[in-house]
Amino acid sequence: MIKKTIILSIVIFIAYNVLLLLKHPVTGPGQHQWQKNRILIEDYVDYHEGVPVVIVGTSLSARLYPSLLPSGYFNLALAGESIFDGLEIVKKSTKKPEYILVETNIFYKKPDKDLSEGVFNPMMLWIRKYIPSFREENQPANLLPPLIAKAGKGEAVNTNSADTAILNTLLKQKVADYQQVPDSVTMTENLKLLKDYIRDFQAKGIKVVLYEIPVNCKLYQTPRYLVPKQKLTAAFPDRYFQWLSMPDCSAYQYGDGEHLALESSVKFVDWFVKALHQSGVKP
């Protein structure tokens, strides 16, 4: 009985991997934030190294959805993580991009040194390539929700009927949160770290463009925005570093004061790509 169970398990494991190698159309989206980030990292390292333009940022830039970006762009913005996690992944990659676009809104968040652990291990690179069930996106529990969704009679419709009162409450809370200035020591350390990354990339012939994601206009007059912005501008003057121009914050709507609403994500990406092309970023 035990022998039959082992044999059956091996057969199922092989069959599952064969299906994955045949590019089964269902791909797992990730069950939680860490797994979603891991899927994104593996996707970049395994399939997209060397893409001309890489976006590095936080959850603010994660709203620049891949479906909205033109060919030649890869969004490596990691929700809940720092910009340095994405920068480190690009740094460790074998093939480098022509351009790295770095979001600067939340430069003061510390990096997560464990996030990409094992991703660049030569053995794991080989295993993920030939035994795809080891990829985060192909975990059985992760594939089940998309399969169920496909089996359903139709897709849920997003009406975007946001409650104005709730949005106003969220904005008030965000304004209150922005009264707190980030830790000064961490800001100083991260500014130096960012400068080190940029110089390292520039030495390899990679062009780095700094940009800000727009947030609700009320946040621009708060200490949490003004103090980091002053330090950032002093550390990275535009005469030495390439900055993308700032868009009009009032042209967009926000889900919580910080993150772009879906319709505004579409609008901002259109502006973003055009502004990049005008500044010389043309993959």
Side-chain angles (χ1 to χ4, degrees):
M1 185 66 180
I2 296 177
K3 184 177 180 181
K4 288 183 179 180
T5 302
I6 294 174
I7 293 174
L8 180 60
S9 299
I10 293 173
V11 170
I12 293 174
F13 178 77
I14 293 173
Y16 182 60
N17 279 280
V18 168
L19 286 173
L20 293 172
L21 286 170
L22 291 175
K23 299 183 184 295
H24 193 281
V26 178
T27 300
Q31 298 301 298
H32 45 77
Q33 186 168 281
W34 183 92
Q35 190 177 61
K36 290 178 180 179
N37 284 335
R38 188 73 176 202
I39 288 171
L40 184 63
I41 294 168
E42 288 182 356
D43 190 35
Y44 177 74
V45 173
D46 293 345
Y47 299 121
H48 296 283
E49 276 191 6
V51 69
V53 182
V54 175
I55 299 171
V56 171
T58 66
S59 59
L60 300 180
S61 291
R63 297 295 177 99
L64 311 183
Y65 303 109
S67 60
L68 304 177
L69 294 167
S71 176
Y73 283 70
F74 188 92
N75 190 352
L76 195 54
L78 301 165
E81 303 294 343
S82 77
I83 61 175
F84 302 106
D85 300 302
L87 289 170
E88 184 65 15
I89 290 161
V90 177
K91 182 179 179 179
K92 289 181 177 179
S93 300
T94 302
K95 299 177 182 178
K96 299 295 191 291
E98 296 176 34
Y99 301 92
I100 300 176
L101 314 179
V102 182
E103 172 210 311
T104 60
N105 293 61
I106 311 177
F107 70 85
Y108 40 79
K109 186 175 179 63
K110 293 183 177 181
D112 181 354
K113 297 181 180 179
D114 298 325
L115 182 64
S116 60
E117 184 178 0
V119 172
F120 292 94
N121 183 294
M123 179 60 72
M124 288 306 301
L125 287 169
W126 186 92
I127 289 175
R128 290 200 304 271
K129 181 176 180 180
Y130 295 105
I131 311 178
S133 62
F134 280 85
R135 293 176 57 81
E136 284 292 333
E137 66 180 358
N138 294 327
Q139 299 301 309
N142 191 34
L143 288 175
L144 187 59
L147 284 171
I148 294 174
K150 286 193 71 176
K153 294 182 179 179
E155 295 182 0
V157 177
N158 182 6
T159 61
N160 292 318
S161 56
D163 189 323
T164 303
I166 293 176
L167 292 179
N168 287 336
T169 299
L170 290 172
L171 176 58
K172 288 180 181 179
Q173 181 59 53
K174 193 64 65 175
V175 171
D177 293 342
Y178 266 60
Q179 301 307 311
Q180 301 295 321
V181 178
D183 179 68
S184 179
V185 174
T186 300
M187 282 194 287
T188 300
E189 291 176 348
N190 283 13
L191 287 171
K192 181 182 182 304
L193 183 59
L194 179 56
K195 191 168 292 186
D196 290 341
Y197 271 110
I198 292 175
R199 285 172 174 167
D200 181 73
F201 287 129
Q202 289 176 334
K204 294 179 172 64
I206 302 169
K207 299 179 181 66
V208 179
V209 180
L210 305 174
Y211 73 93
E212 277 190 41
I213 289 282
V215 294
N216 190 288
C217 299
K218 292 184 178 180
L219 298 181
Y220 286 105
Q221 300 305 315
T222 61
R224 181 171 162 181
Y225 177 82
L226 292 172
V227 175
K229 179 66 174 181
Q230 183 180 24
K231 291 180 178 291
L232 188 66
T233 303
F236 297 92
D238 56 13
R239 64 181 181 275
Y240 297 122
F241 298 89
Q242 184 175 356
W243 281 87
L244 198 64
S245 58
M246 279 288 291
D248 179 8
C249 60
S250 64
Y252 307 98
Q253 295 187 359
Y254 310 88
D256 60 355
E258 269 189 327
H259 297 82
L260 289 166
L262 178 58
E263 298 86 348
S264 286
S265 293
V266 178
K267 184 177 180 180
F268 175 74
V269 169
D270 182 63
W271 176 90
F272 187 62
V273 173
K274 288 179 180 176
L276 286 167
H277 285 184
Q278 291 173 358
S279 69
V281 178
K282 296 180 180 179

